[in-house]
Amino acid sequence: MLHQEPSALVQFGPDVEPASLEVEYLSSVDLTPVEDVDLLVNTLLERLDSKDWLTVCQAFNRARQIAVFHTSSMDNILESVVILTIKALKSPRSTLCKTAIMATADFFKAYQDRMLDFLDPLLLQLLLKASQDKRFVCEEAERALLAMTTWMAPAPLLQKLKPYVSHRNPRIRAKASMCVYKSVSKLGIEGIKDFGLETLIQIAASQLNDQLPEARESARKMVMDLHAAYQKFPSYGHSLDVQNVECKQEKWEWEQFCQRQLPPRTAHAVLRVTCIAT
């Protein structure tokens, strides 16, 4: 399906998008293979770095086609493409910014863990865009963050996300908390154990009383998942067959674990969540 969204601005100038101009917002399913891949790859960086923002938008659509259908063709220039994507994400032009975000989502799906090498500045921009008031940019950034958590390995991604759950901007904290929860839900029992249940419960607990409900809800769901995982850890004194463990003993051990790992008030908040749910 082809989405078109004309700019609402009517003034002309170097920093203004003309109202008569339209940019194609192609969903990933509407992308098609390209014919002359080598030619496109050879000119892609130049067009992505153009001073004409419409040329850059068109180049991002081409980059998406290459990433989706001719993935390896962009291997040698992937880092440069990501750098120019970050540049576009910083643009005040919402249309250009949205086009770059859509490209980012396709890059995550196509290149997956290879994107980890370039993720730090890219992640910050996506969190910023997902936290802004322009809805059509914000929603696109949220979809890109979802693609990131879907296609990238959760453990290394969590390491990248950790600093942002304590960011001074509450909106960024909320978006980061959502990503952390989605990544943790992909870890599985062994993955949680390897990453460190202690570290994860501290991250989740820190967001239970956050300023924004989005952060609190992600933290609450994460606490519940970690509690369920804890019950299946034989290394924490549990049988693999949870049914053979007395309910009171389970609750006592979980309470002791939380009190060892967390400050008293924070531990109380975690225990309140798990007690209400059980």
Side-chain angles (χ1 to χ4, degrees), residues 158-257:
L158 281 168
Q159 296 289 358
K160 300 288 188 179
L161 288 165
K162 276 173 59 179
Y164 295 104
V165 296
S166 57
H167 197 276
R168 65 181 181 275
N169 185 324
R171 291 187 178 185
I172 289 180
R173 289 200 306 271
K175 301 303 179 183
S177 296
M178 175 192 70
C179 293
V180 167
Y181 164 67
K182 291 185 180 297
S183 295
V184 169
S185 67
K186 289 176 57 184
L187 281 174
I189 301 301
E190 290 303 316
I192 290 174
K193 183 177 178 181
D194 292 341
F195 192 89
L197 180 62
E198 297 87 350
T199 299
L200 292 173
I201 197 64
Q202 290 166 6
I203 294 173
S206 69
Q207 301 303 303
L208 282 176
N209 295 315
D210 196 83
Q211 179 178 341
L212 295 182
E214 185 180 2
R216 298 196 298 270
E217 178 61 16
S218 294
R220 189 192 67 80
K221 292 188 290 187
M222 185 172 161
V223 165
M224 294 305 303
D225 284 357
L226 295 176
H227 180 222
Y230 178 86
Q231 293 174 313
K232 300 177 182 179
F233 283 5
S235 59
Y236 287 101
H238 298 285
S239 167
L240 284 173
D241 183 0
V242 178
Q243 293 180 348
N244 291 336
V245 182
E246 291 292 336
C247 182
K248 290 184 179 179
Q249 180 69 10
E250 286 181 22
K251 291 182 178 179
W252 182 84
E253 291 181 358
W254 173 246
E255 181 178 344
Q256 293 298 305
F257 171 76

Side-chain angles (χ1 to χ4, degrees), residues 97-144:
C97 184
K98 176 171 178 171
T99 306
I101 294 171
M102 296 177 75
T104 302
D106 288 324
F107 295 162
F108 284 137
K109 183 175 180 179
Y111 298 103
Q112 300 185 17
D113 290 349
R114 284 193 57 190
M115 295 292 290
L116 282 167
D117 293 336
F118 327 119
L119 188 60
D120 290 331
L122 185 59
L123 176 57
L124 175 59
Q125 290 304 313
L126 289 176
L127 290 170
L128 285 169
K129 298 307 177 184
S131 304
Q132 68 170 234
D133 293 327
K134 292 181 180 179
R135 185 172 179 180
F136 85 113
V137 172
C138 173
E139 291 177 348
E140 204 63 58
E142 288 180 343
R143 283 190 281 270

Side-chain angles (χ1 to χ4, degrees), residues 67-79:
V68 172
F69 295 102
H70 316 277
T71 307
S72 62
S73 298
M74 213 158 64
D75 283 350
N76 292 334
I77 63 169
L78 180 59
E79 181 175 5

